[in-house]
Amino acid sequence: MEYIQNTLGNLVQQTAFLNITFGNVLMIAVACVFLFLAINKGFEPLLLVPIAFGMLLVNIFPDIMISAEEAANNTPGLLHVFYILDEWAVLPSLIFMGVGAMTDFGPLIANPKSFLLGAAAQFGIFAAYLGAMAMGFSDKAAAAVSIIGGADGPTSIFLAGKLGQTDILGPIAVAAYSYMALVPIIQPPIMRLLTTEKERKIKMEQLRHVTKLERILFPIIVTIVVCMILPTTAPLVGMLMLGNLFRESGVVRQLTETASNALMYIVVILLGTSVGATTSAEAFLNVTTLKIVFLGLIAFAFGTAAGVLFGKLMCLATGGKVNPLIGSAGVSAVPMAARVSQKVGAEADSTNFLLMHAMGPNVAGVIGTAVVAGVFMSIFGV
């Protein structure tokens, strides 16, 4: 009888019920909300489902993120192994290769002026950098936090790791990916506020045909130019352009399919769950995290607004040939931001098709955010 009592007592002691805190319960509730948004509302389920489930797991069983040094048997937790690949910038770089293999750079090549819209949308990053400095963050921490404004999760993780800000990498990554997933909610009100109905109805001319030679030369030239100026961007820009070269060369179909499908989705699972697992109640529920989430929202809103306002300037300069809505796609959330531009434009005129025009600034934003990350690394001598 004593043996049975001891066995049952040990079993009860091993359950999560005795060790769970109010903070854990709160984070579990947040995870469930994210899962609801992803599954029921369709808010970027590829991102939110693994992130939310990682959040759920770590707040039930914290040891799933324990490091080898902290573990009694020197065996790290499963998701900590994945997280190390985040810190080493392996997973963010592979994500960029997959994005390159999946994305058509033709709209950007056909309309090089899109680079300006992508550059304008990076304003939010610098606005958040100043805001973070004003809130008491160190210069490197402010840079790591501000990159959230590019709405680019992999770059946020990459820069935080390179600048040695691993203590706040989790909140930065979760904020960046959350805002990427919430692009359809955050951007439209800003876009409508800053544009008139007449501007939203502007129909743009069809893009010119882009030759195969142009498509092949573009990733090679961009890699040479950008990486010669900012060598530290090579892991991101290089992998992005390599993936696109797989796609456009037409001679490595197997590599294209692997990079854009199997490998991409494997990496998303590993990165998403490990990012979600950084949100234990102890690490996430604090004032610093709230500041990061707030600054990320401000950065994203400022970036969207700057892109739209520069789009209005281009509209004025071209005599009404540019729809300002495509400027909002200058953030790096590919292709979500471009789809939002299309959606808001279609609301004003159902016959207006802006998607391909918006893809130009969208791709430019991906490159632009990586370049800004490279600038920060150069400033701090990384």
Side-chain angles (χ1 to χ4, degrees), residues 18 34 38-39 44-45 62 72 79 81 100 117 125-127 153 159 172 195 212 255 275 297 307 316 354 359:
L18 294 183
F34 278 6
I39 297 170
E44 296 304 324
L79 297 187
V81 175
L117 292 169
I125 295 176
F126 296 103
L159 184 61
I172 287 173
T195 58
K212 185 176 180 64
L255 297 183
V275 164
L297 178 60
L316 182 64
L354 297 174
M359 280 302 298

Side-chain angles (χ1 to χ4, degrees), residues 221-242:
I221 293 172
V222 169
T223 300
I224 293 172
V225 173
V226 174
C227 294
M228 286 293 286
I229 297 172
L230 293 167
T232 52
T233 63
L236 294 182
V237 174
M239 290 299 100
L240 178 70
M241 295 304 157
L242 175 60

Side-chain angles (χ1 to χ4, degrees), residues 104-111 207-219 221 244-245 247-250:
D104 180 7
F105 287 6
L108 178 58
I109 301 170
N111 184 18
L207 295 171
R208 70 172 179 83
H209 173 70
V210 179
T211 66
K212 185 176 180 64
L213 179 61
E214 288 178 296
R215 291 177 179 274
I216 293 174
L217 289 177
F218 182 80
I221 293 172
N244 190 249
L245 188 59
R247 171 192 173 97
E248 301 300 350
S249 65

Side-chain angles (χ1 to χ4, degrees), residues 291-303:
K291 288 181 180 179
I292 290 171
V293 172
F294 173 74
L295 285 166
L297 178 60
I298 295 298
F300 187 47
F302 267 73

Side-chain angles (χ1 to χ4, degrees), residues 94-166:
L94 291 177
I95 287 281
F96 261 61
M97 183 169 65
V99 169
M102 296 171 65
T103 307
D104 180 7
F105 287 6
L108 178 58
I109 301 170
N111 184 18
K113 293 191 295 292
S114 298
F115 269 113
L116 298 176
L117 292 169
Q122 307 310 311
F123 173 78
I125 295 176
F126 296 103
Y129 176 72
L130 297 176
M133 292 287 285
M135 284 190 174
F137 285 91
S138 68
D139 50 4
K140 288 185 179 181
V145 170
S146 66
I147 208 72
I148 298 172
D152 189 333
T155 304
S156 299
I157 294 171
F158 177 84
L159 184 61
K162 290 294 184 182
L163 296 181
Q165 302 303 308
T166 54

Side-chain angles (χ1 to χ4, degrees), residues 7-313:
T7 301
L8 292 176
N10 290 335
L11 181 62
V12 171
Q13 290 294 328
Q14 292 300 315
T15 65
F17 293 105
L18 294 183
N19 300 311
I20 201 165
T21 66
F22 173 76
N24 293 135
V25 173
L26 181 60
M27 294 307 298
I28 290 171
V30 171
C32 291
V33 170
F34 278 6
L35 288 171
F36 172 78
L37 292 174
I39 297 170
N40 188 265
K41 299 297 183 180
F43 288 167
E44 296 304 324
L46 285 177
L47 293 175
L48 277 189
V49 169
I51 288 175
F53 211 80
M55 185 182 298
L56 188 69
L57 286 173
V58 77
N59 282 286
I60 295 174
F61 179 55
D63 282 1
I64 203 167
M65 269 294 281
I66 195 170
S67 66
E69 294 77 13
E70 297 170 324
N73 58 0
N74 294 322
T75 302
L78 172 65
L79 297 187
H80 187 267
V81 175
F82 299 165
Y83 180 70
I84 291 173
L85 297 177
D86 294 339
E87 289 187 330
W88 290 350
V90 175
L91 298 183
S93 300
L94 291 177
I95 287 281
F96 261 61
M97 183 169 65
V99 169
M102 296 171 65
T103 307
D104 180 7
F105 287 6
L108 178 58
I109 301 170
N111 184 18
K113 293 191 295 292
S114 298
F115 269 113
L116 298 176
L117 292 169
Q122 307 310 311
F123 173 78
I125 295 176
F126 296 103
Y129 176 72
L130 297 176
M133 292 287 285
M135 284 190 174
F137 285 91
S138 68
D139 50 4
K140 288 185 179 181
V145 170
S146 66
I147 208 72
I148 298 172
D152 189 333
T155 304
S156 299
I157 294 171
F158 177 84
L159 184 61
K162 290 294 184 182
L163 296 181
Q165 302 303 308
T166 54
D167 55 327
I168 57 173
L169 191 153
I172 287 173
V174 171
Y177 274 109
S178 298
Y179 290 137
M180 284 176 66
L182 296 176
V183 161
I185 294 177
I186 298 172
Q187 282 198 320
I190 299 171
M191 296 161 70
R192 297 188 191 100
L193 178 65
L194 297 177
T195 58
T196 64
E197 186 174 357
K198 181 180 178 181
E199 288 172 333
R200 294 194 289 274
K201 288 182 176 180
I202 292 175
K203 294 183 178 181
M204 298 181 65
E205 297 176 359
Q206 185 174 354
L207 295 171
R208 70 172 179 83
H209 173 70
V210 179
T211 66
K212 185 176 180 64
L213 179 61
E214 288 178 296
R215 291 177 179 274
I216 293 174
L217 289 177
F218 182 80
I220 298 172
I221 293 172
V222 169
T223 300
I224 293 172
V225 173
V226 174
C227 294
M228 286 293 286
I229 297 172
L230 293 167
T232 52
T233 63
L236 294 182
V237 174
M239 290 299 100
L240 178 70
M241 295 304 157
L242 175 60
N244 190 249
L245 188 59
F246 287 162
R247 171 192 173 97
E248 301 300 350
S249 65
V251 295
V252 285
R253 181 173 56 84
Q254 298 92 331
L255 297 183
T256 305
E257 291 176 352
T258 300
S260 61
N261 290 292
L263 179 61
M264 179 69 164
Y265 296 130
I266 289 171
V267 173
V268 166
I269 292 170
L270 300 182
L271 188 144
T273 51
S274 60
V275 164
T278 61
T279 59
S280 63
E282 295 77 12
F284 201 77
L285 296 178
N286 54 61
V287 175
T288 298
T289 297
L290 294 177
K291 288 181 180 179
I292 290 171
V293 172
F294 173 74
L295 285 166
L297 178 60
I298 295 298
F300 187 47
F302 267 73
T304 300
V308 173
L309 291 174
F310 197 84
K312 288 171 72 76
L313 182 62

